[in-house]
């Protein structure tokens, strides 16, 4: 071999083994325009109006019922809106409200449910455990009672892991500490790491992190219907998947979200999490990514139990753009970032195209390979809407969900492009115009009707997520920077250590389209709505 050839070979080998350095998530030196202050204050105003109504008619209960000027207790009656709002109050500098909320939280009795309902391990983890721990951190550990309360509720939830099961049961009876036997899903079983490992960080009790990690590791190691893409249903007793439904939407969503977020928050050297995330993304690009025939909108389709592509989308699934931006920057992979930005646009299009400027709960598309949604062909009205807007509405309600504005926030922090500020400003206008009631803010039944009737509930994630992401979009990008914090799926930020140079092994197992591992047709299960979707029973 000539010297030159040897040099080329040596360079090629070292280039191949050179790690891909993790990029910063945020674009450095973003300069906010002067009118950002005005929008930030408008969001704070919505928060204060909503929370004042909650205080007046529902304080200590889970949700405000803004139309009946009453309350509901769908989260075990521990005051979900207060705990869920704490981190947002801290970020907005609403110190009196924050202190009042800490005072309330210090007296919550987690020894039993205040209602007759059983306790959801997932919901309680993301809202209460996440809310308490994030407030503890954001207030510089000034209130040890928040950590104490976090420990109390987690010690009860630990009973969801029965015997040697890796997978926790989804629901617990807190009175008897026994699980309610039923099928769970990967969102419930795989959205625990950030909260439980943060609890371990402050209590030094490794058990908490281990419980969450054994559940997600188990899921990531099961043979999946598509590479990296776990099935939605899972049986905690056997540890096996139930059915083979694949989706980035409800019932699966935050399992995928937490794979890369756990890798970042923990800086673990175990590549399982970042690699499974990267494989899921790669496999989604090859198997699920579709383009609408009108408008060329990009979306991730579902893949059902009969191995058929369903051309459907949902508000819940629209977190994917933001999550792919976060992971794409950590893996320093421009392909993923570029697709993510198009996914963000596709989801924003479901807001831009409606009469209220707010997007629907569920929608569908037509692509060059079909229009199958599992639910019949589009009606003539839906087709006419589709021809105009590039998507059509299959569930027209808006229940104060965050995901579209969450991804819009990531897109702004990653690119610094002011078009994302314009979108956020337009959402603020729509909220003020269409969601406002004399008693705070309410969801609406039809996002495509300016005279829509309203829904008598203010979900706690309105305070935790929607208003926090909107506010931060217009705030100094160094405040709660995506390079210093990792948000849990309820938008509670956790402080992260400085980033590692490399996330994941960067050894791809290139996935083939439809590389199925299952033989015979799978038992059919209907796609579970994300548990967050269940509207609260009225008190
Ligand atoms: C805490 O709440 C109690 C009522 O539950 C009230 O008497 C007390 O003043 C509050 N303390 C603070 C510091 O807000
Ligand atoms: C750690 O937490 C687990 C789960 O609640 C508990 O069973 C165990 O006793 C705790 N260990 C210590 C040393 O406190
Ligand atoms: C970036 O991601 C794409 C999509 O998954 C993948 O095909 C490609 O190999 C990745 N590039 C690198 C350098 O890892
Ligand atoms: C939807 O798909 C069905 C079955 O392939 C087809 O008959 C129908 O024409 C399609 N409709 C539209 C609007 O593309
Ligand atoms: C909404 O209601 C107003 C006042 O009742 C009415 O004038 C308007 O036509 C309605 N708009 C639609 C789109 O129904």
């Amino acid at each position: 071999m000539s010297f030159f050839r040897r040099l080329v070979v040596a360079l090629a080998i070292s280039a191949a083994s050179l790690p891909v350095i993790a990029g910063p998530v945020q674009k450095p030196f973003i300069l906010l325009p002067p009118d950002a202050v005005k929008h930030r204050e408008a969001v704070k105003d919505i928060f204060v109006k909503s929370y004042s109504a909650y205080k007046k008619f529902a304080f200590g209960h889970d949700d405000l019922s803004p139309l009946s000027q009453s309350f509901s207790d769908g989260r075990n009656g521990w005051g979900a809106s207060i705990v869920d709002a704490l981190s947002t109050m801290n970020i907005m500098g609403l110190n009196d409200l924050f202190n009042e909320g800490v005072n309330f939280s210090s007296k919550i009795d987690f020894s039993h449910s205040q209602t007759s309902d059983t306790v959801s391990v997932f919901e309680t983890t993301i809202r209460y455990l996440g809310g308490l721990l994030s407030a503890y951190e954001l207030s510089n550990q000034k209130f040890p009672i928040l950590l104490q309360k976090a420990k109390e509720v987690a010690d009860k939830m630990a009973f969801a892991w029965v015997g040697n099961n890796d997978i926790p049961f989804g629901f617990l009876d807190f009175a008897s500490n026994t699980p309610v036997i039923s099928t769970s899903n990967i969102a419930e079983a795989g959205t625990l790491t950030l909260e439980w490992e943060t609890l371990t960080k402050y209590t030094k009790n490794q058990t908490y992190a281990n419980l969450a990690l054994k559940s997600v590791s188990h899921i990531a190691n099961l043979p999946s219907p598509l590479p990296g893409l776990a099935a939605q249903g899972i049986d905690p007793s056997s540890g096996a998947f139930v059915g083979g439904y694949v989706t980035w939407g409800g019932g699966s969503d935050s399992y995928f979200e937490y794979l890369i977020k756990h890798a970042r928050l923990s800086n673990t050297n175990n590549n399982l999490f970042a690699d499974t995330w990267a494989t899921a993304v790669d496999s989604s690009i090859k198997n699920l990514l579709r383009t609408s025939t009108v408008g060329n909108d990009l979306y991730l389709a579902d893949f059902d139990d009969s191995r058929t592509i369903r051309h459907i989308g949902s508000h819940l699934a629209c977190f994917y753009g933001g999550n792919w931006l976060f992971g794409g920057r950590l893996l320093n992979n421009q392909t993923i970032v570029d697709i993510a930005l198009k996914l963000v646009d596709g989801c924003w299009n479901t807001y831009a195209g409606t009469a209220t400027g707010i997007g629907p709960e569920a929608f569908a598309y037509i692509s060059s390979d079909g229009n199958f949604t599992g639910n019949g062909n589009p009606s003539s009205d839906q087709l006419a809407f589709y021809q105009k807007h590039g998507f059509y509405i299959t569930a027209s309600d808006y229940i104060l969900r965050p995901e579209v504005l969450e991804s819009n926030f990531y897109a702004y922090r990653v690119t610094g492009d002011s078009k994302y500020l314009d979108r956020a400003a337009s959402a603020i206008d729509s909220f003020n115009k269409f969601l406002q009631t004399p008693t705070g803010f309410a969801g609406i039944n039809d996002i495509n009707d300016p005279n829509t009737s309203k829904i008598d509930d203010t979900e706690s994630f309105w305070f935790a997520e929607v208003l926090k992401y909107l506010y931060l979009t217009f705030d100094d990008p160094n405040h709660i920077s995506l390079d210093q914090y990792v948000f849990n799926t309820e938008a509670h930020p956790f402080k992260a250590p400085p980033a590692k140079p490399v996330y994941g092994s960067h050894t791809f197992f290139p996935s083939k389209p439809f590389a199925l591992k299952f033989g015979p047709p799978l038992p059919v299960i209907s796609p579970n709505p994300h548990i967050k979707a269940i509207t609260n029973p009225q008190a």
Side-chain angles (χ1 to χ4, degrees):
M1 223 191 277
S2 72
F3 170 76
F4 181 70
R5 226 183 116 71
R6 230 179 296 164
L7 181 69
V8 169
V9 169
L11 284 176
I13 290 170
S14 65
S17 56
L18 257 187
V20 185
I21 302 298
V25 176
Q26 292 196 172
K27 181 184 167 144
F29 311 116
I30 295 175
L31 265 188
L32 278 174
D35 68 352
V37 181
K38 182 184 81 187
H39 296 303
R40 197 161 71 222
E41 288 309 308
V43 180
K44 201 169 170 177
D45 191 52
I46 295 176
F47 183 97
V48 170
K49 278 185 186 151
S50 299
Y51 197 79
S52 302
Y54 166 79
K55 270 182 70 169
K56 185 157 177 204
F57 296 105
F59 193 78
H61 293 279
D62 290 336
D63 290 12
L64 167 71
S65 307
L67 307 185
S68 53
Q69 304 196 325
S70 178
F71 56 82
S72 69
D73 284 306
R75 302 285 163 225
N76 308 103
W78 292 315
S81 285
I82 300 174
V83 179
D84 233 6
L86 287 175
S87 62
T88 307
M89 292 165 177
N90 181 286
I91 285 169
M92 291 182 175
L94 297 167
N95 298 329
D96 291 346
L97 291 182
F98 181 82
N99 288 336
E100 179 187 68
V102 171
N103 189 358
F104 174 87
S105 303
S106 71
K107 293 169 200 148
I108 299 175
D109 178 5
F110 285 120
S111 69
H112 62 280
S113 174
Q114 307 296 319
T115 65
S116 56
D117 299 333
T118 53
V119 177
S120 160
V121 173
F122 164 77
E123 295 287 354
T124 305
T125 292
I126 66 172
R127 301 194 202 213
Y128 290 108
L129 185 57
L132 291 165
L133 289 170
S134 180
Y136 175 66
E137 276 194 345
L138 289 169
S139 55
N140 298 317
Q141 307 175 29
K142 204 174 120 193
F143 303 104
I145 188 69
L146 295 173
L147 178 60
Q148 176 59 33
K149 286 290 154 187
K151 193 177 159 312
E152 278 174 31
V153 72
D155 285 338
K156 292 291 280 184
M157 286 195 284
F159 287 104
W161 281 264
V162 173
N164 289 323
N165 290 355
D166 288 342
I167 305 293
F169 283 88
F171 290 83
L172 267 181
D173 179 347
F174 262 29
S176 58
N177 295 331
T178 50
V180 178
I181 311 293
S182 67
T183 297
S184 190
N185 60 55
I186 59 170
E188 290 176 347
T191 312
L192 308 166
T193 46
L194 304 186
E195 300 82 2
W196 292 66
E197 71 197 359
T198 299
L199 186 58
T200 285
K201 175 176 165 183
Y202 292 112
T203 60
K204 308 276 186 269
N205 182 340
Q206 193 58 44
T207 303
Y208 302 120
N210 289 349
L211 288 172
L213 283 169
K214 78 175 177 180
S215 182
V216 66
S217 306
H218 178 106
I219 298 168
N221 281 313
L222 284 179
S224 53
L226 291 168
L229 291 167
Q232 185 180 52
I234 193 158
D235 178 348
S237 303
S238 67
F241 284 138
V242 179
Y245 198 95
V246 170
T247 179
W248 283 78
S252 297
D253 44 14
S254 42
Y255 158 74
F256 298 116
E257 176 186 349
Y258 272 31
L259 288 170
I260 191 67
K261 286 184 168 180
H262 161 65
R264 173 65 186 91
L265 185 65
S266 68
N267 274 349
T268 175
N269 287 321
N270 181 349
N271 286 331
L272 175 70
F273 309 97
D275 282 1
T276 305
W277 185 85
T279 307
V281 168
D282 189 61
S283 174
S284 296
I285 293 171
K286 294 192 168 88
N287 295 307
L288 307 180
L289 192 66
R290 291 293 186 280
T291 309
S292 65
T293 53
V294 172
N296 293 320
D297 288 319
L298 239 52
Y299 60 96
L300 298 180
D302 283 7
F303 181 75
D304 75 11
D305 303 79
S306 54
R307 304 173 198 176
T308 308
I309 287 290
R310 292 195 188 191
H311 299 275
I312 56 179
S314 64
H315 203 293
L316 281 166
C318 280
F319 83 97
Y320 52 44
N323 186 241
W324 285 32
L325 285 173
F326 183 72
R329 292 298 302 140
L330 287 180
L331 298 179
N332 212 345
N333 185 311
Q334 196 60 33
T335 306
I336 297 174
V337 169
D338 289 343
I339 293 173
L341 289 171
K342 292 195 178 131
L343 290 171
V344 172
D345 284 345
C347 282
W348 176 254
N349 185 51
T350 68
Y351 274 53
T354 73
T356 59
I358 300 171
E361 175 73 5
F363 39 92
Y365 294 97
I366 297 168
S367 136
S368 57
D369 67 334
N371 62 45
F372 179 72
T373 64
N375 202 17
N377 285 335
S379 69
S380 55
D381 280 357
Q382 285 173 323
L383 259 186
F385 188 94
Y386 176 76
Q387 295 303 342
K388 234 169 138 179
H389 301 290
F391 73 101
Y392 62 92
I393 299 164
T394 55
S396 64
D397 54 325
Y398 173 66
I399 63 162
L400 310 180
R401 288 199 190 283
E403 294 78 14
V404 173
L405 294 168
E406 167 184 350
S407 287
N408 187 68
F409 161 70
Y410 278 85
Y412 181 64
R413 290 281 182 97
V414 167
T415 65
D417 187 333
S418 63
K419 80 176 175 193
Y420 303 110
L421 297 179
D422 298 340
R423 291 174 181 181
S426 131
I428 295 172
D429 285 346
S430 291
F431 289 169
N432 275 323
K433 205 160 159 196
F434 297 108
L435 307 183
Q436 207 167 170
T437 79
T439 313
F441 287 69
I444 50 179
N445 283 308
D446 187 356
I447 47 80
N448 203 37
D449 174 6
N451 290 338
T452 175
S453 57
K454 295 195 172 69
I455 301 171
D456 195 14
D457 185 38
T458 306
E459 265 281 4
S460 71
F461 47 66
W462 172 249
F463 298 108
E465 302 192 65
V466 177
L467 300 179
K468 183 185 289 116
Y469 285 128
L470 263 183
Y471 181 85
L472 285 175
T473 303
F474 293 106
D475 200 6
D476 176 358
N478 295 314
H479 188 204
I480 318 289
S481 160
L482 291 170
D483 290 300
Q484 287 163 4
Y485 286 88
V486 176
F487 287 88
N488 90 337
T489 195
E490 192 77 0
H492 298 303
F494 291 127
K495 188 98 173 87
K500 291 206 306 177
V502 183
Y503 290 90
S505 67
H506 290 266
T507 52
F508 260 75
F509 338 103
S511 57
K512 290 201 193 83
F514 290 73
L516 290 165
K517 295 200 175 151
F518 290 147
L522 299 156
V524 173
I525 53 160
S526 52
N528 281 335
H530 195 296
I531 200 88
K532 273 201 252 183
I534 296 167
T535 349
N536 292 334
Q538 294 307 308

